C-alpha cells in the first residue's frame, strides 16, 4: 500500500473520530481550516484560557485523548464492558477504571507530594490500579455511565488543581523520582505520561472492541 495514502487515511480517521464524523476524505483546505479553529477545538494543541501556557498545552492534549476514549466506549453495553477475551486479559471496563486510577495517583503525587495511596484510596482504587486478577474479579457489573462518571470526577479535580499551578511548577524536577530513576524527571513528564498512558490503553480498548462477540472484522 502507498505510504502516503496510508498516512492520509490514518490522519483522516483520527480527525473524524475527534469530531464525531465519518468522512470519506479530508481536503487540504478543510484541514487548514481546522488548524485555524478557536483554541477550544480539540484539534488545536496549545495554550488554553485559564491555564499558564505550558499547562494549557498539556491540558489540550489530555482533553483530546480523553474525548477519543469517551467516544470509543460511550455506547457499549455492560456485557461488552465485562467481556474477557482470555484469562490473562483485562476488560474494557477494567481499563477505563484503570485510567481513572492512574489520573488519581498522579494527582496525589504531583499536587500533594505523596508517593502512594492512603488506605481509603487503596480500597477504592487498588484493583483498578493494579488490574490483573483483582481487576478481573472486582471490576464488573457496571453500566458505561459508572465508568464515565468516575473518569469525569477525577479529571475535574485534576483540571481544577492545574489551574492553580504555573509553568515553573510544571517544569520543576522531582528529586525523589529522579533519585530513584537515576535521571532527571520533572512534573511535565509525569502528566505527559498520563497522556501517553491513555493513548496506549485506547489502543487496547480498540483491539478488544474488535474482538467482542459479533464485532465486525477490524480494518487494520
Amino acid at each position: 500500500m502507498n505510504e502516503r495514502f496510508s498516512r492520509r487515511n490514518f490522519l483522516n480517521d483520527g480527525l473524524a473520530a475527534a469530531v464525531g464524523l465519518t468522512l470519506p476524505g479530508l481536503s487540504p483546505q478543510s484541514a487548514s481550516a481546522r488548524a485555524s479553529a478557536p483554541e477550544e477545538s480539540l484539534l488545536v494543541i496549545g495554550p488554553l484560557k485559564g491555564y499558564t501556557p505550558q499547562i494549557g498545552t498539556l491540558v489540550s492534549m489530555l482533553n483530546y485523548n480523553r474525548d477519543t476514549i469517551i467516544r470509543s466506549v460511550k455506547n457499549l453495553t455492560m456485557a461488552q464492558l465485562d467481556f474477557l477475551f482470555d484469562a490473562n486479559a483485562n476488560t474494557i471496563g477494567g481499563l477505563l477504571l484503570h485510567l481513572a486510577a492512574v489520573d488519581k495517583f498522579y494527582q496525589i503525587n504531583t499536587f500533594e507530594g505523596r508517593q502512594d495511596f492512603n488506605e481509603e484510596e487503596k480500597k477504592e482504587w487498588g484493583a483498578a490500579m493494579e488490574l490483573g486478577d483483582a481487576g478481573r474479579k472486582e471490576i464488573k457489573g457496571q453500566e458505561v455511565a459508572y465508568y464515565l462518571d468516575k473518569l469525569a470526577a477525577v479529571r475535574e479535580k485534576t483540571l481544577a488543581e492545574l489551574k492553580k499551578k504555573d509553568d515553573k511548577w510544571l517544569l520543576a524536577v522531582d528529586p525523589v523520582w529522579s533519585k530513584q530513576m537515576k535521571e532527571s524527571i520533572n512534573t511535565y513528564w509525569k502528566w505527559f505520561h498520563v497522556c501517553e498512558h491513555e493513548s496506549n490503553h485506547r489502543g487496547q480498548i480498540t483491539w478488544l472492541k474488535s474482538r467482542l462477540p459479533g464485532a465486525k472484522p477490524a480494518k487494520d
Side-chain angles (χ1 to χ4, degrees):
M1 182 179 290
N2 183 279
E3 182 180 3
R4 182 179 177 184
F5 181 75
S6 298
R7 288 178 178 175
R8 185 183 66 192
N9 284 352
F10 177 79
L11 176 61
N12 291 353
D13 289 345
L15 294 175
V19 298
L21 298 173
T22 302
L23 302 177
L26 186 67
S27 68
Q29 291 83 1
S30 59
S32 176
R34 288 209 172 277
S36 61
E39 64 177 14
E40 290 80 9
S41 170
L42 288 170
L43 304 185
V44 174
I45 299 300
L48 290 174
K49 184 177 180 180
Y51 303 92
T52 55
Q54 293 277 6
I55 292 179
T57 300
L58 167 68
V59 169
S60 69
M61 291 186 280
L62 290 170
N63 287 346
Y64 173 80
N65 263 4
R66 179 57 58 84
D67 184 76
T68 61
I69 289 169
I70 292 171
R71 290 182 183 278
S72 179
V73 304
K74 65 181 181 180
N75 294 320
L76 295 182
T77 65
M78 184 189 299
Q80 290 171 325
L81 292 164
D82 289 349
F83 174 72
L84 195 62
F85 181 74
D86 61 34
N88 296 315
N90 296 302
T91 65
I92 294 175
L95 291 173
L96 292 174
L97 205 58
H98 177 65
L99 296 182
V102 169
D103 202 330
K104 178 67 177 180
F105 171 77
Y106 280 93
Q107 275 183 14
I108 67 164
N109 180 259
T110 62
F111 302 139
E112 302 178 32
R114 291 193 278 133
Q115 302 301 320
D116 201 358
F117 289 137
N118 60 35
E119 290 306 311
E120 182 178 351
E121 290 163 343
K122 286 179 181 178
K123 290 179 181 178
E124 181 176 4
W125 298 108
M129 192 71 181
E130 299 301 327
L131 290 177
D133 290 339
R136 285 184 283 271
K137 180 180 179 180
E138 297 180 28
I139 305 172
K140 63 176 82 171
Q142 301 287 351
E143 299 288 354
V144 70
Y146 168 82
Y147 299 104
L148 296 184
D149 286 348
K150 286 280 191 179
L151 285 164
V154 175
R155 182 54 58 85
E156 182 179 3
K157 182 174 180 180
T158 293
L159 298 181
E161 291 299 321
L162 286 173
K163 286 185 176 181
K164 303 175 185 177
K165 303 298 183 181
D166 59 22
D167 290 349
K168 183 178 180 180
W169 169 87
L170 187 68
L171 296 172
V173 171
D174 179 346
V176 176
W177 283 31
S178 296
K179 182 177 180 180
Q180 291 174 345
M181 300 300 293
K182 296 182 173 55
E183 62 179 312
S184 296
I185 297 175
N186 67 358
T187 307
Y188 206 152
W189 179 86
K190 292 182 181 184
W191 283 103
F192 168 76
H193 176 61
V194 173
C195 194
E196 67 168 350
H197 175 261
E198 292 208 2
S199 293
N200 175 56
H201 287 306
R202 183 181 67 215
Q204 291 181 326
I205 289 169
T206 299
W207 189 90
L208 288 170
K209 283 179 63 180
S210 72
R211 268 65 181 179
L212 291 172
K216 295 180 180 178
K219 295 180 181 180
D220 299 320

